[in-house]
């Protein structure tokens, strides 16, 4: 900017920091005579310049406010990074339906995808690599003009529009063979402003495959669980994710394929819920699709709180918290809780199912297998490892590749060793 001439100093500053020179301020130098209407033209010119300047400054202010930023306010830089892959899995053996999954590696992709864990105050950068063939994505879309790609849309935490994972922002999804990074911020609770924070049980999923709402991506298996913890929250020994969906499915499976636990050597995973008596077992429960469900776990109950636990000795508060063993679940809903495996009921095969009767009758049921103190599986009652009734396999049953432990959590250990079983990023 050129220096102001002698005697001509700025006297009016706009609130956004734009300096405007005014003609009606006193000046020590004599003004030359002007042709008629020059003053009016200068005023119009000044107003035009001010309008352009204000518009430019408003854009700059919007940029600074975070509207166009890659990271949401409060996230200075990512605390951790995760590489996530979207791949095609073997088709459903009974329906030949296309199956897709997220994985920390292409080889461990599954449905549900790996469970993500964050602490309030953390920023997580997730780079999604789209390895789903273009032809597969084309076969799933319902509109031939819809773009091909996969995305990552998350519930509960904070993100910018560039990390929304929708076609409404073209830079927010990933074309076949490409990669992009999404940023999630687990905003902490602020008692001064009343902000509730982001601690809770959430989920993530595709929002692009097939159409603008990602319905075909969900139907194919592109979803997973997310837990955001608050400082001081108890840590579980094991975390399991249960997606209750259409066609009476749990994690897109029903009947015998919901529970594939080996009675001798059970391996924790999406189709094998197993724990040792006394372990703290955490559940993340999500509703997808179009149907209503109820989640019921035999032999165990939990507090209807954020964590499923009651903390503290305030009698009035403790007495006001309901204790439940059945919770209604609608599409898009999510909740979670922690129970002590076998608390007062001992080891055994404890049924977990939808309590809408015709849903459970058609195979929407599995079991939480609780091992004894020695890590041994209790004897079955003659109905086989699945311990459920219903068809041997229904539409929505999963592929064998999707039964790996990574589909529920990362780094799962064999149940008998009593090792911690934590989600990604713990």
């Amino acid at each position: 900017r050129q220096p102001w001439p002698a005697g001509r100093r700025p006297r009016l500053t706009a609130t956004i920091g734009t300096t405007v020179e005014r003609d009606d301020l006193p000046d020590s130098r004599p003004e030359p005579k002007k042709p008629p209407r020059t003053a009016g033209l200068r005023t119009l010119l000044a107003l035009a310049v001010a309008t352009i300047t204000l518009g430019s400054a408003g854009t700059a202010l919007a940029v600074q406010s975070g509207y166009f930023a890659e990271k949401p306010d409060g996230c200075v830089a990512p605390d951790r990074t995760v590489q996530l892959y979207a791949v095609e899995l073997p088709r459903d053996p009974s329906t030949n339906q296309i199956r897709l999954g997220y994985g920390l590696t292409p080889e461990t992709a599954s449905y549900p995808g790996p469970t993500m864990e964050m602490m309030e105050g953390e920023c997580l950068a997730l780079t999604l690599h789209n390895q789903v063939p273009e032809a597969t994505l084309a076969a799933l879309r319902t509109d031939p003009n819809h773009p091909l790609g996969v995305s990552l849309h998350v519930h509960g935490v904070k993100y910018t529009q560039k990390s929304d994972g929708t076609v409404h922002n073209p830079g927010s999804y990933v074309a076949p063979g490409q990669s992009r990074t999404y940023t999630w911020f687990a905003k902490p609770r602020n008692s001064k402003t009343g902000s509730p924070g982001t601690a809770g049980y959430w989920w993530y999923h595709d929002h692009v495959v097939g159409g603008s709402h990602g319905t075909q991506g969900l139907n194919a298996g592109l979803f997973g669980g997310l837990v955001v913890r608050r400082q001081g929250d108890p840590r579980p020994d094991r975390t399991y994710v249960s997606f209750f969906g259409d066609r009476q499915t749990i994690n897109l499976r029903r009947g015998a394929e919901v529970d594939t636990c080996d009675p001798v050597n059970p391996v924790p995973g999406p189709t094998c819920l197993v724990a040792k008596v006394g372990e703290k077992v955490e559940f993340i429960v999500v509703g997808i699709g179009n149907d209503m469900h109820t989640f019921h776990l035999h032999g165990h109950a939990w507090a209807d709180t954020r964590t499923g636990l009651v903390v503290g000795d305030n009698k009035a508060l403790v007495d006001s918290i309901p204790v439940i063993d059945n919770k209604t679940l609608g599409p898009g809903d999510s909740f979670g809780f922690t129970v002590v495996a076998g608390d007062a009921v001992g080891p055994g095969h404890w049924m977990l199912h939808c309590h809408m009767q015709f849903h459970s009758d058609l195979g929407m049921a599995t079991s939480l297998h609780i091992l004894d103190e020695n890590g041994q599986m209790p004897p079955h009652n003659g109905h086989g490892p699945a311990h459920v009734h219903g068809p041997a396999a229904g539409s929505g049953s999963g592929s064998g590749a999707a039964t790996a432990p990574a589909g529920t959590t990362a780094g799962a250990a064999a149940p008998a060793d009593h090792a911690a079983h934590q989600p990604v990023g713990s």
Side-chain angles (χ1 to χ4, degrees):
R1 178 181 298 178
Q2 296 296 325
W4 290 92
R8 300 290 293 175
R9 58 189 179 85
R11 298 292 300 274
L12 180 64
T13 303
T15 56
I16 60 172
T18 303
T19 304
V20 181
E21 183 180 355
R22 291 215 358 217
D23 291 323
D24 57 347
L25 298 176
D27 187 18
S28 59
R29 298 180 300 168
E31 290 286 334
K33 292 184 178 181
K34 305 178 181 65
R37 299 178 62 186
T38 301
L41 290 173
R42 291 186 62 189
T43 301
L44 290 174
L45 179 61
L47 287 172
V49 171
T51 301
I52 295 172
T53 306
L54 285 168
S56 301
T59 301
L61 187 63
V63 172
Q64 292 174 4
S65 71
Y67 185 79
F68 296 105
E70 278 288 349
K71 299 182 291 293
D73 291 341
C75 173
V76 177
D79 297 289
R80 292 179 289 113
T81 60
V82 170
Q83 303 298 313
L84 196 64
Y85 298 82
V87 304
E88 183 174 8
L89 297 171
R91 294 197 174 207
D92 186 299
S94 60
T95 66
N96 199 37
Q97 184 174 350
I98 293 173
R99 287 286 178 245
L100 308 177
Y102 294 115
L104 299 178
T105 65
E107 295 75 22
T108 58
S110 58
Y111 51 93
T115 301
M116 303 295 172
E117 177 176 348
M118 300 178 69
M119 295 294 296
E120 277 193 338
E122 278 192 309
C123 261
L124 185 62
L126 303 99
T127 299
L128 177 62
H129 307 273
N130 182 3
Q131 295 189 0
V132 180
E134 184 174 338
T136 300
L137 295 174
L140 286 169
R141 65 182 174 183
T142 56
D143 177 357
N145 298 316
H146 183 73
L148 298 178
V150 300
S151 75
L152 207 55
H153 173 74
V154 66
H155 289 226
V157 295
K158 304 297 182 181
Y159 49 86
T160 68
Q161 282 196 324
K162 288 184 178 294
S163 291
D164 189 32
T166 64
V167 295
H168 305 294
N169 187 327
S172 184
Y173 62 91
V174 190
Q178 302 297 311
S179 304
R180 83 168 315 279
T181 299
Y182 297 81
T183 302
W184 299 349
F185 176 49
K187 182 181 178 181
R189 179 175 177 270
N190 188 323
S191 58
K192 294 182 178 179
T193 65
S195 175
T198 52
Y201 294 93
W202 311 104
W203 61 300
Y204 63 90
H205 59 93
D206 169 78
H207 214 299
V208 171
V209 175
S212 60
H213 298 288
T215 302
Q216 301 305 317
L218 277 173
N219 291 343
L222 287 177
F223 51 77
L226 165 68
V227 55
V228 178
R229 305 194 192 282
R230 188 163 288 157
Q231 293 292 338
D233 282 354
R235 293 299 188 107
D237 297 301
R238 305 193 177 277
T239 295
Y240 291 112
V241 179
S242 295
F243 279 79
F244 277 31
D246 293 342
R247 305 175 73 90
Q248 302 84 49
T249 58
I250 300 176
N251 296 332
L252 298 186
R253 307 165 177 91
R254 72 178 184 184
E257 294 201 5
V258 180
D259 185 351
T260 62
C261 263
D262 187 287
V264 177
N265 184 30
V267 178
T271 60
C272 181
L273 312 183
V274 60
K276 189 176 178 180
V277 66
E279 284 188 324
K280 295 186 291 293
V281 181
E282 178 181 62
F283 284 92
I284 301 174
V285 185
V286 183
I288 59 174
N290 304 287
D291 290 347
M292 296 294 295
H293 302 286
T294 59
F295 178 97
H296 175 52
L297 176 61
H298 287 206
H300 299 76
W302 62 93
D304 196 11
T305 63
R306 177 176 60 84
T307 62
L309 302 172
V310 178
V311 180
D313 298 318
N314 185 319
K315 187 177 187 300
L317 177 62
V318 170
D319 287 347
S320 70
I321 298 174
V323 178
I324 61 176
D325 69 355
N326 190 84
K327 193 174 180 74
T328 304
L329 188 68
D333 286 346
S334 60
F335 66 89
F337 62 91
T338 298
V339 295
V340 177
D343 182 24
V345 298
H349 308 281
W350 298 100
M351 189 178 290
L352 182 162
H353 62 98
C354 176
H355 225 302
M356 296 185 71
Q357 293 302 118
F358 85 95
H359 286 188
S360 53
D361 286 344
L362 289 174
M364 197 172 184
T366 184
S367 292
L368 171 62
H369 303 280
I370 300 180
L371 313 182
D372 63 21
E373 294 81 357
N374 299 317
Q376 300 299 312
M377 181 79 84
H380 289 279
N381 65 355
H383 292 286
H387 197 76
V388 296
H389 303 282
S395 58
S397 60
S399 65
T403 60
T408 306
T409 54
D417 64 10
H418 206 236
H421 186 193
Q422 295 293 347
V424 175
S426 59

